[in-house]
């Protein structure tokens, strides 16, 4: 045991010392970032400091491997990533504002106060912004690190693909990810853009590890468990990843579940423990009575769903008096009727109904409103599903083709039903041809879509970012392999 630890230390000590330099510098730099004393939220501060050190170590170790191994995987990943990074950076400088706004500005302001906003965007979001702010203490600092992470993910996917196509044909994978939809979100460090690239990394690793018949070692199990845990809790709809991950890992690494079940208890315990550890801070945040509760967080969805259901067949006369009163006191039905008459389907674009809500309403009134709307949803599920489906359709109708290349690219890249269709096709293909990893990844994409469509509080195309990345990943890796004329099963 001691010898193995010493061997690892000898191999990684340079990476550690290289990471230690910017980490120690962050103690000075963060003085320009934080507006509160570190002791005010000491646990959050220490945790984010640890995250920063681990991130810097992994990056330093990656760079050293890229330098030491001229033909190694890290070198190819870096080369692919650098080209994408320059394109992404150019897009940001050309098309996007170089300042924060909306939710990102709010997250940044709260991060300066060492508030991870676990009660609203999940603690992973705040910890990312706080950790980035320690090292790059200015508004665009977290955005620049997001560009790097996005590019490294793309570089990783292309590097894995080149082994089954070629170094040139692997570049085909960039085609869907150079579309405006992905580029716009690439220069964002909000929750969904970060979630999406982490999801893509997981899909690529599981797919290629299975294809190359990799073995599941302790380091890989730890990495996968952490990634799956983050994806499970970072967004509400991600909870299915707890079960999906427990199925994907044994299938991807061909673990002998039936014959040697007794050998799997250690990996299973490790998986469960890591997921529990990652969940604890979030559960603690939900239990904090001083922060907005889950009830308040669900209010935008309730207001959005109510307005849309009234346009999709729900009649006011069918609403029970007590339910009607609980809703009307917070958002008057008269105002909802006026809004629907004026806005029509444009009301799908965001939760406009919340602009009509009584700003002076206390928690009890808002809670009663949410309970009343949830009761209507349970009583009229088909109307609710129809209205949410119409909202999904609206995400693909917000951009039109006006005859030029620029609007054509934006029009095409924002068709959210296309990657959904691809996931459905690969699900059927994987099932018929017994390509189980392809089938399970596609099933995860469809499950993600179904949960988001049911829960979305606005028709934002970005909600379906995961499906976009996953559907086109499966399509273009197949195209690259076919065009390179490798004689192997593509989706094996």
């Amino acid at each position: 045991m001691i010898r193995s630890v010493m061997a690892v230390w000898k191999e990684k000590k340079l990476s550690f010392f290289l990471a230690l330099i910017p980490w120690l510098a962050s103690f000075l730099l963060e003085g320009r970032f934080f507006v509160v004393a570190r002791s005010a939220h000491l646990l959050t501060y220490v945790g984010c400091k640890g995250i920063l050190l681990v991130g810097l170590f992994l990056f330093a170790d990656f760079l050293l491997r890229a330098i030491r191994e001229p033909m190694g995987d890290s070198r190819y990943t870096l080369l692919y990533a650098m080209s994408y990074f320059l394109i992404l950076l150019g897009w940001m400088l050309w098309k996007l504002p170089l300042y924060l706004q909306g939710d990102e500005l709010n997250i940044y302001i709260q991060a300066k106060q060492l508030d991870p906003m676990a009660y609203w965007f999940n603690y992973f979001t705040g910890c990312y912004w706080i950790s980035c702010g320690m090292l790059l203490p200015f508004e665009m600092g977290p955005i620049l690190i997001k560009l790097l992470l996005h590019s490294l993910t793309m570089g990783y996917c292309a590097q894995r693909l080149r082994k089954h196509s070629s170094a040139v044909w692997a570049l085909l994978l960039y085609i869907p990810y150079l579309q405006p939809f992905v580029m716009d979100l690439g220069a964002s460090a909000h929750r969904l853009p970060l979630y999406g690239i982490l999801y893509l990394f997981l899909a690529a690793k599981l797919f290629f590890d299975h294809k190359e018949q990799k073995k599941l070692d302790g380091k890989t199990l730890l990495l996968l468990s952490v990634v799956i845990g983050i994806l499970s809790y970072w967004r509400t709809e991600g909870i299915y990843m707890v079960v999906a991950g427990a199925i994907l890992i044994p299938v991807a690494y061909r673990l002998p579940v039936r014959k040697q079940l007794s050998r799997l208890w250690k990996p299973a315990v490790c998986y469960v423990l890591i997921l529990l550890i990652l969940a604890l801070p979030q559960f603690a945040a939900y239990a904090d009575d001083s922060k907005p509760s889950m009830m308040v967080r669900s209010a935008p969805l309730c207001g959005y769903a109510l307005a849309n259901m009234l346009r999709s067949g729900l009649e006011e006369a069918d609403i029970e008096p007590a339910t009607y009163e609980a809703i009307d006191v917070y958002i008057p039905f008269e105002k909802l009727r006026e809004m629907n008459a004026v806005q029509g389907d444009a009301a799908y674009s965001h939760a406009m109904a919340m602009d009509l809500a009584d700003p002076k309403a206390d928690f009890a009134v808002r809670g009663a409103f949410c309970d009343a709307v949830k009761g209507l949803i349970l009583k009229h599920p088909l109307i609710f599903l129809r209205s949410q489906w119409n909202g999904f359709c609206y995400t693909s109708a917000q951009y039109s083709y006006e005859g030029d290349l620029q609007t054509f690219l934006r029009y095409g890249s924002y068709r959210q039903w296309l990657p959904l269709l691809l996931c459905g096709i690969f699900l059927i293909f994987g099932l018929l041809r017994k390509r189980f990893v392809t089938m399970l990844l596609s099933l995860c994409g469809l499950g993600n879509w179904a949960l988001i469509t049911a829960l979305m509080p606005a028709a934002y195309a970005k909600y379906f970012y995961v499906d976009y990345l996953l559907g086109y990943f499966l399509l273009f890796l197949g195209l690259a392999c076919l065009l390179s004329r490798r004689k192997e099963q593509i989706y094996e």
Side-chain angles (χ1 to χ4, degrees):
M1 179 66 177
I2 297 177
R3 288 183 179 179
S4 62
V5 171
M6 292 303 295
V8 172
W9 168 250
K10 185 177 180 180
E11 180 186 356
K12 303 295 184 181
K13 65 180 180 180
L14 181 56
S15 300
F16 176 75
F17 285 124
L18 288 176
L20 204 59
I21 296 171
W23 187 73
L24 291 174
S26 71
F27 284 91
L28 299 175
L29 295 169
E30 67 190 24
R32 301 179 58 188
F33 179 69
F34 294 125
V35 295
V36 296
R38 282 60 154 185
S39 58
H41 302 280
L42 188 58
L43 188 60
T44 299
Y45 175 77
V46 172
C48 291
K49 214 64 178 178
I51 292 172
L52 178 61
L53 181 58
V54 171
L56 289 171
F57 169 77
L58 293 175
F59 185 61
D61 190 58
F62 164 75
L63 290 179
L64 284 177
R65 281 186 278 112
I67 294 170
R68 291 168 175 169
E69 305 168 10
M71 301 300 292
D73 293 344
S74 297
R75 174 70 65 88
Y76 276 101
T77 298
L78 182 61
L79 291 174
Y80 282 125
M82 286 174 61
S83 59
Y84 193 85
F85 178 83
L86 293 175
I87 294 171
L88 200 55
L89 180 63
W91 179 270
M92 184 185 74
L93 295 174
W94 176 44
K95 297 288 290 185
L96 303 174
L98 299 180
Y99 54 86
L100 300 178
Q101 52 188 337
D103 282 341
E104 285 184 309
L105 178 58
N106 189 27
I107 296 169
Y108 178 77
I109 292 172
Q110 295 302 116
K112 289 169 69 71
Q113 301 174 49
L114 271 170
D115 179 4
M117 294 189 75
Y119 49 87
W120 199 264
F121 294 121
N122 194 294
Y123 78 97
F124 296 118
T125 305
C127 288
Y128 169 84
W129 280 75
I130 293 170
S131 300
C132 292
M134 290 174 171
L135 188 64
L136 301 178
F138 51 91
E139 275 195 25
M140 299 304 290
I143 304 297
L144 291 175
I145 293 177
K146 165 57 171 49
L147 297 184
L148 178 63
L149 294 175
H150 189 128
S151 301
L152 287 172
T153 302
M154 288 305 307
Y156 175 80
C157 293
Q159 178 272 126
R160 296 297 299 264
L161 177 57
R162 74 178 174 87
K163 297 178 181 179
H164 306 280
S165 56
S166 69
V168 175
W169 284 118
L171 291 172
L172 278 179
L173 190 60
Y174 282 7
I175 291 177
Y177 303 141
L178 290 175
Q179 299 303 310
F181 175 59
V182 179
M183 299 293 281
D184 287 346
L185 290 176
S188 169
H190 204 343
R191 183 166 50 156
L192 262 167
L194 288 164
Y195 187 93
I197 60 168
L198 188 62
Y199 202 106
L200 179 61
F201 166 78
L202 176 67
K205 180 163 182 60
L206 289 170
F207 181 89
F208 288 116
D209 279 4
H210 177 77
K211 188 174 179 64
E212 296 165 12
Q213 300 187 24
K214 300 280 189 180
K215 300 298 182 182
L216 181 66
D217 55 25
K219 184 171 66 174
T220 301
L221 177 62
L222 176 63
L223 173 64
L224 291 175
S225 299
V226 170
V227 171
I228 291 170
I230 294 172
L231 292 175
S232 298
Y233 309 128
W234 204 344
R235 289 193 54 81
T236 304
E237 70 274 4
I239 194 64
Y240 72 92
M241 286 300 299
V242 173
V243 176
I247 298 172
L248 275 165
I249 292 176
V251 172
Y253 294 94
R254 297 177 172 86
L255 300 183
V257 177
R258 292 183 180 178
K259 297 181 180 180
Q260 302 179 36
L261 190 61
S262 60
R263 295 178 57 184
L264 297 179
W265 73 270
K266 287 184 179 180
V269 169
C270 175
Y271 178 81
V272 171
L273 281 177
I274 290 174
L275 264 64
L276 285 174
I277 291 170
L278 290 172
L280 287 176
Q282 194 57 42
F283 290 153
Y286 288 153
D288 186 355
D289 293 334
S290 66
K291 301 295 184 181
S293 71
M294 290 292 288
M295 179 67 74
V296 176
R297 290 183 66 213
S298 66
L301 169 60
C302 292
Y304 177 78
L306 175 64
N308 295 338
M309 288 173 70
L310 288 170
R311 291 200 314 279
S312 300
L314 178 64
E315 299 292 340
E316 289 184 39
D318 296 332
I319 302 176
E320 295 178 355
T323 301
Y324 190 98
E325 183 179 354
I327 293 172
D328 192 66
V329 72
Y330 185 54
I331 302 180
F333 277 93
E334 181 182 356
K335 292 184 177 180
L336 283 172
R337 288 194 296 270
E338 291 177 3
M339 184 199 76
N340 280 333
V342 173
Q343 298 294 338
D345 285 348
Y348 285 118
S349 61
H350 65 274
M352 295 182 182
M354 298 311 296
D355 296 334
L356 311 176
D358 180 5
K360 298 179 180 179
D362 58 20
F363 179 82
V365 171
R366 286 179 288 170
F369 165 79
C370 292
D371 288 339
V373 175
K374 289 173 185 177
L376 284 177
I377 291 172
L378 293 175
K379 191 173 182 179
H380 305 279
L382 294 181
I383 294 177
F384 170 72
L385 291 176
R386 186 191 309 141
S387 67
Q388 292 295 96
W389 167 258
N390 291 337
F392 167 71
C393 294
Y394 187 82
T395 63
S396 294
Q398 297 180 63
Y399 294 93
S400 60
Y401 173 49
E402 299 177 4
D404 58 279
L405 179 61
Q406 183 175 351
T407 58
F408 173 75
L409 290 175
R410 189 165 291 277
Y411 171 83
S413 70
Y414 274 83
R415 303 301 95 180
Q416 297 306 315
W417 56 268
L418 282 172
L420 174 65
L421 180 62
L422 289 173
C423 287
I425 291 172
F426 283 113
L427 173 64
I428 297 171
F429 170 84
L431 186 61
L432 294 177
R433 299 297 298 273
K434 297 182 178 180
R435 306 292 190 259
F436 294 117
V437 171
T438 301
M439 181 195 74
L440 288 171
L441 289 175
S442 303
L443 184 61
C444 285
L446 291 173
N448 185 78
W449 168 83
L451 288 169
I452 288 177
T453 301
L455 298 173
M456 65 178 182
Y460 294 154
K462 68 178 182 178
Y463 286 154
F464 304 96
Y465 189 48
V466 163
D467 300 283
Y468 190 102
L469 296 176
L470 182 60
Y472 284 117
F473 167 75
L474 292 172
L475 175 65
F476 277 82
L477 75 85
L479 289 176
C481 292
L482 282 173
L483 292 172
S484 64
R485 297 181 180 179
R486 290 285 187 94
K487 295 182 179 180
E488 61 178 72
Q489 294 289 342
I490 298 172
Y491 295 104
E492 180 60 43

